[in-house]
Amino acid sequence: MRTTTNRGLQPNVLGTFDTIVMAVAGSAPAYSLAATTAVLFGAVGLAGPAALLYCAIPMLGIVLAYARLGRIDVNAGAGYSWVGRTLHPFLGFLSGWALVFAATVFMVAGSLPAGTLTLSLISPGLADSTPLAAAVGAGWFLMMLLVVLGGARLTVRAQLVMSGVEMLILLGFVLAAVVHRGRATAFDWSWFALDHFHGPGAFAAGALIAAFYYWGWDVTSNLSEETRDSRRTAGLAALVGVGFVFLLFEAFTVAVNVLLSAEEIRDAGPNVLAVLGQEIWPGVGGKLLVVAVLLSTVATLETTLLQVTRSLFAMGRDRTLPAALGRVHRRWNTPWVAIAAVGGAGLLMFAAAAAAGSVQQILSDAVAAIGLQIAFYYGLAGIAAIVAYKAVLFRSVQNFVLGGLWPLLGSAFMLWTFVESIGVLSTTAVTIGLGGLLLGVVPLLVYWRKGSDYYRPARLDAVRALEAAEGSGPATRPRTGARDKSYATDF
């Protein structure tokens, strides 16, 4: 855990409840629904609920893989460390690079809707200006950058407020949608079947978009060095978070299918939740859901910044990227150089977005490109878990199913989706997705030639790691009568 300043991230800042909130906020329920529902409908039509369901099953396999790997290697780099120590350091680096690149692209994909939504609350006419939306989105981005710089305690307190209000609004509208009388289409159970997909390519395209919906829960693993009892907490929080957002995603996707016509969904684009809110509660509902989406967008900007800066911190610490990225601020215990680097890259991308096309087109290409990156590094993590636990897989049915079969299903699904989607995505999306991944080969070769110890790893083996963890005793400080103030909240 050595850094370039011999200082690490502050331990025990996050409790169990905090980490669950981070997992939910990382998936950004309201933002994902707003930014992606029209894109998903355009790809698979009324089969959106099916795409979310059939992606959730293998996604849970990846969540199980992360939980098991987190038990034996607590590392802010997460998949970057695990894949490197089980499969190959080159694959490990590219796994970490995929997360970094996807998160950096998301700075624009996430901040542009925040700018558009803010402008729509002031004056709907202003929301159509991409340069203005980029400028306001950049303002939100910089605000979250400062919050993340201020430390994990400040970050989680801001997250509790934003996500708390967002969940109250979303759950209220789920109940309102159930009792709403008007409808554009009759509910049909076939929306959860495979019948609506037109071939494997269409199914893969839907699955790739669905993966973007869920993406972000793995922030719990990137925060593991700052989490109390993280060997247990990070995996548990991810499972609870994915289960919760799955139910929300399905409820709202079904509501959109029932209450809005196909033409309304296409015309609404990233404003689909506002249109849905207006249908459920005319005059007020649209604005309330816009507020929920805005809060969700800002909240997920924060968790994405946490993911990318912790990943860069781990890479800087291992000297697979410039060592300065591994520096920790003396007062706030945050990787301030990594945060500054992400801020600079984000602002450059905002300038490019301001000169680009419509917000809806930028979102569509960004979602698909990020989906490729997600499928790549999630798929590798699933294989890494199987390799790390190979010696214990056949000791029980539970080990075989939860530690081998399910992660293997998740990994195979993600990698198949990655390959299958390349042939059906737009040229821009494929160029961003694959080009960003290939760009990582440059620093990989440079720092490999410099002799980073990361490229000579100690192999990650579950049996040895668990025996060592049991022999070292509890990882957390003993409980005393006084309240432990090193972390924010807990059950």
Side-chain angles (χ1 to χ4, degrees), residues 223 242 360 397:
L223 291 169
V242 170
Q360 186 169 354
V397 174

Side-chain angles (χ1 to χ4, degrees), residues 107 111-112 114-116 132-142 301 350:
M107 298 308 164
S111 298
L112 278 178
T116 301
L132 197 54
V136 176
W140 280 114
F141 170 72
L142 289 173
L301 270 179
F350 279 115

Side-chain angles (χ1 to χ4, degrees), residues 235-319:
L236 171 65
L239 283 168
V240 173
V242 170
F244 180 78
V245 298
F246 165 72
L247 295 176
L248 269 183
F249 290 152
E250 289 287 17
F252 269 92
T253 305
V254 169
V256 167
N257 280 1
V258 170
L259 300 179
L260 302 181
S261 67
E263 185 178 354
E264 286 176 316
I265 297 171
R266 294 191 190 97
D267 291 344
N271 296 317
V272 67
L273 277 196
V275 176
L276 178 67
Q278 195 67 18
E279 172 66 28
I280 294 173
W281 189 359
V284 179
K287 288 189 178 296
L288 271 178
L289 278 181
V290 166
V291 170
V293 175
L294 178 58
L295 288 171
S296 179
T297 305
V298 176
T300 198
L301 270 179
E302 184 185 78
T303 57
T304 306
L305 281 166
L306 287 170
Q307 275 197 287
V308 67
T309 55
R310 269 50 178 182
S311 297
L312 288 173
F313 163 78
M315 292 171 150
R317 179 172 61 188
D318 292 340
R319 272 76 167 179

Side-chain angles (χ1 to χ4, degrees), residues 78-254:
Y80 155 80
S81 173
W82 305 331
V83 174
R85 294 182 61 190
T86 53
L87 305 183
H88 195 281
F90 284 6
L91 291 175
F93 179 87
L94 290 177
S95 179
W97 181 265
L99 188 155
V100 168
F101 186 85
T104 305
V105 172
F106 180 78
M107 298 308 164
V108 174
S111 298
L112 278 178
T116 301
L117 292 166
T118 303
L119 292 170
S120 70
L121 290 174
I122 300 169
S123 173
L126 297 175
D128 296 329
S129 171
T130 301
L132 197 54
V136 176
W140 280 114
F141 170 72
L142 289 173
M143 186 183 300
M144 287 302 100
L145 203 70
L146 292 175
V147 171
V148 171
L149 180 63
R153 187 180 290 110
L154 174 62
T155 301
V156 75
R157 287 173 179 168
Q159 194 63 251
L160 287 169
V161 173
M162 292 185 292
S163 295
V165 176
E166 174 198 354
M167 290 305 112
L168 286 174
I169 295 174
L170 290 180
L171 291 174
F173 271 91
V174 167
L175 296 175
V178 170
V179 299
H180 188 70
R181 293 184 179 181
R183 64 183 186 182
T185 308
F187 172 78
D188 192 334
W189 283 107
S190 70
W191 296 344
F192 294 90
L194 295 171
D195 301 344
H196 284 279
F197 297 107
H198 302 292
F203 179 78
L208 198 69
I209 296 166
F212 178 81
Y213 273 81
Y214 296 111
W215 177 55
W217 56 263
D218 47 316
V219 67
T220 61
S221 297
N222 296 107
L223 291 169
S224 60
E225 294 182 31
E226 299 158 89
T227 302
R228 178 173 175 262
D229 192 17
S230 65
R231 295 182 189 277
R232 176 193 68 89
T233 303
L236 171 65
L239 283 168
V240 173
V242 170
F244 180 78
V245 298
F246 165 72
L247 295 176
L248 269 183
F249 290 152
E250 289 287 17
F252 269 92
T253 305
V254 169

